[in-house]
Every structure is written in structure tokens, then in C-alpha cells.
Amino acid sequence: MVHAEAATQTRTETDSLGAMEIPCDALWGIHTARALENFEISKRPISVYPELVVGLAMVKQAAARANAEIGVLDEHRADLIDRAAQLVIDGQFHEQFVVGVIQGGAGTSTNMNANEVITNIALELAGRERGDYAYLSPIDHTNRSQSTNDVYPTSIKIGLSLSLGSLLTELDLLRKSFLAKATEFHDVLKVGRTQLQDAVPMTLGQEFHGFATTLAADYERLRENAVLLHEINMGATAIGTGITTHPDYAGAVERHLRDITGLDLETASDLVESTSDTGSFMSFSSSLKRNAIKLSKICNDLRLLSSGPQAGLGEINLPARQAGSSIMPGKVNPVIPEVVNQVAFAVAGSDVTVTMAVEAGQLQLNAFEPVIAHSIFQSIIWMRQAMRTLRVNCVDGITANRARLGAMVGSSVGVITALTPFIGYSAAAALAKTALLTNRSVADLVVEAGLMEPAEVEKQLSPSRLSGLEPVTSVIPIIAPEDVPTQG
């Protein structure tokens, strides 16, 4: 247990603005302390995005190894930084990354938070006191050959790449869940709809297979856009000219980063352009929005198909997750699709934020990468969780109202579309009108009109043919509407 007296003990640190008292139990230092005073905005520290913290540590580790390799940092200090960074990569000390996710300074506070935490961990590994920066400095050693302007965007790209892996895992699991339902419902005939009006028959399995297919397409689009994040600007330092770096540094740090991250990273051919351009973030954000909006559309369909259950479509049943009303007994709402819809709205809003921030960059740097990072990391996390709850708490438990679906198909005039290759469009249209006016079966009217034999009608209106699983081609005879018997 920490005594109150010990918790209030401080150490003194100084920077170009003066001195500050830093809590002794803090691994961060004066630059982080100033950020805590200045940016009390979001109430969310950067540690809420652990992959970003890991990305920062990986960059610091790679820089230490590169600096030692090219001889600009002694082996002992480089090893201390390397080992300290590895502890952060392994998940330790993340609570010390305390600066707010929204901050001015183009990410400088985040970079300094990382420099100070890793330096103080390294000092303790060396048996030194926290804040002993004469021995190991956050700037002169841990930040050697670096600038926020290459560390921060590179760390974001690495963090996003790491986050994407878990998102893609959930996306693929959700796709498989829809695919399993497609198999389960492969023989369940239903009425398809366009513009909310009855169209032609299909199977419920075909509908769910379409959901799975569209998610598979999103999986590929996300992977394609993620490749854009593999271009880094390490070695650019302040504006892309590489000032303060050794000529061999950029190549060395790239090699070490590739080894540490396992990502196919590549140094940009034009570091000035790469330092000022944030277009890759916009493209990646756009692919997240695409996935979110398409997922929202699927959830709209699930809510509509399950509407009722008595006075709506009532074609499928979603698992009952909680009571739906404080006043209406027995009411159950589609809460899982609803929450996914809301996540999609938030992701779309975040994409607008990213777009505005990308546009707002000026000259050699974009100062708004903190809000870009926050927006995209939040979108990934929310989407990942939304996909999981949709799969586990909804899709896996969906059942079909087979009797109701069969009844709707049996009474639908849309089935006459399947007979148009045999009786022609005009005759079909006339009989459809009669069926609606008289509430009679289309099949009976076709037989009564002498246009087809009962056995042939039954064959063409079989589930396999109505759903298009068994293709039908035939010569279409010319039958005039006036030749079709009608009933008043």
C-alpha cells in the first residue's frame, strides 16, 4: 500500500520554460506534465489506444538499434532504451501514457510522453533514479535522430496496422456467421422486394449469402487500403530534409522496424512530401466508413425483416436480448442491430473529421494528426466490438418463420414473373392484375386461361426455379392481353 506521504513526493525537472515538480511515482516528466495542463480536453489518455502505445515503443526501439548500428549512440544506452521499449511493447507501463488523445502541437506531447516514459524505465533498468537525464536523456538519447514529425505518423501507421488485424478477424467471423445462416436457410422460399414493394421470389439463404458476400468484399478493400499505411517517413525529422540524421539512418531504422513489427514497411521516396501528406489516413478511414455503412444497411434489413412480430414483415426472429419497454409488456426490440447502426453513424462522422483534418494541413506539416489518429483508432475499436456483438448476440441466433414465408410466397402475384418466358409479359401483366383484384392464385388463373398445363405451372413455380437456382430459358410466345380471360 502506498502511503499518502510517499504519493505526494516529487522530483524537480526543468525545460526551456522553467522548472516543475513531477510526482516521484510518475515515469513521465516535465513535457508530459505541461501537456496535462494544456490539453484537458478529451478526458481520454492515449493509453486507451494500446496499439498506438505499442507503435510508439516499436519506433523508439528501432531508432535505438539503428543509432547504435550507425555509431551515433553508444551500445550501452541503446541497449537500455531497447529493453525499456520492449517492456512497453509487451504491455507494461501503458498507464504512464497519460497525455490526452486530442492535443495541439502535431503530436509532440505524445512523442515526449513516450520519450520520458521509456527513458525513465531505462534509467531504472540501469539502477539509476527517475529523472537522471544527465545519464540518459529523453531528447538527446531516446529521441536521437528523430522528430515528432516522423515518429508520430509512423507510430500511428504501425498502430493502425496492428489494430486492423483484430478488426479483420471479427469481420471474417461475422461473414462466416452469415454464410452459416445462408446454408441453414437455403431452401426457405420468400418474396424478394425492391423499393419496399413485392418483387420476385428468392430464398432466405440467398439473402443471407448476399450479406456474407458484401462483407467479404469489404475485407479485401480494408486490406488494400491498409497497404498505404506501410509507407513511412522515418529519417525525415522536422520537414523531410533529414536534418540532424546520419546518411545511413533512414535505411537502418526501416530495416529494424520491419523486423520488429513484421510489417512490410517502406521508406517514402520523397520524405518532404510524405511528411506533409496524410492522404493514406483519409483513404484508410474511407474504407472503414464503407464497411460501416454497408454493415448498417445489413442491420436495417435485419430490423425490417424481423419487424412485427405480428403487424410487420415477421420473416425472421432475432434473439431476444432484453425487455424492450418500461410500459409495454412483452415488447422486444432489435437492440443489437440498432447499436451497430449507431456505430456506423459515428464512423461516418469520424471519416468527415479525418477528411477535414487532412485538408487543413499547411505547408510542410499537418498539425492535426492527433484528431486523425483518435478518429480512426476509435472507429476501429467500435467497429470491432460492434461486429462481435452482432455476430454473437444476433446473427448466430436468427431463426426463420418458415410458415409465414411460405404463405406470403403462395399468395404473391410476383411469382407470375417466372412464367413470362412461357406466356409473355403482356399476358402475365393482365393475369397479375386479375389476381390482385380477385385475390385468386396466379397458378389457377394461368391454367384457367389455357396458357399452360397444371403440371408445367407446378414445375416452373418450384422453389428451385422461383429462386433462380435452376435456370429457365424458353421461346416466349406472343400472347396479346386481350386474349387473356379476365374476371370482373
Side-chain angles (χ1 to χ4, degrees), residues 312-332:
L313 294 183
E315 294 188 357
I316 62 174
N317 305 301
L318 305 185
R321 298 301 306 175
Q322 60 189 59
S325 174
S326 61
I327 189 173
M328 292 174 281
K331 192 172 190 294
V332 178

Side-chain angles (χ1 to χ4, degrees), residues 446-469:
V446 170
V447 173
E448 286 180 11
L451 301 177
M452 295 179 68
E453 293 297 321
E456 186 63 21
V457 171
E458 183 179 357
K459 175 182 177 182
Q460 299 307 328
L461 296 186
S462 67
S464 61
R465 294 205 174 189
L466 283 177
S467 60
L469 297 177

Side-chain angles (χ1 to χ4, degrees), residues 191-213:
V191 176
R193 298 176 183 85
T194 57
Q195 296 162 273
L196 294 181
Q197 303 299 303
D198 297 347
V200 297
M202 65 185 301
T203 67
L204 190 60
Q206 287 173 317
E207 194 162 29
F208 274 72
H209 193 278
F211 297 155
T213 299

Side-chain angles (χ1 to χ4, degrees), residues 42 55 80 130 142 207 212 219 235 250 373 393 405 429:
S42 65
L80 288 173
R130 296 180 184 182
T142 304
E207 194 162 29
Y219 186 98
N393 295 323
L405 288 164

Side-chain angles (χ1 to χ4, degrees), residues 212-271:
T213 299
T214 199
L215 294 179
D218 282 341
Y219 186 98
E220 292 305 319
R221 298 298 83 73
L222 282 165
R223 285 181 39 163
E224 289 170 4
N225 279 286
V227 173
L228 299 175
L229 300 176
H230 292 171
E231 182 182 272
I232 61 173
N233 69 328
M234 288 301 292
T237 61
I239 64 171
T241 60
I243 191 171
T244 74
T245 63
H246 187 280
D248 297 330
Y249 171 75
V253 75
E254 177 200 298
R255 279 188 287 101
H256 287 294
L257 260 181
R258 288 167 66 98
D259 180 59
I260 292 166
T261 65
L263 299 172
D264 191 21
L265 303 174
E266 183 178 357
T267 303
S269 59
D270 187 331
L271 290 177

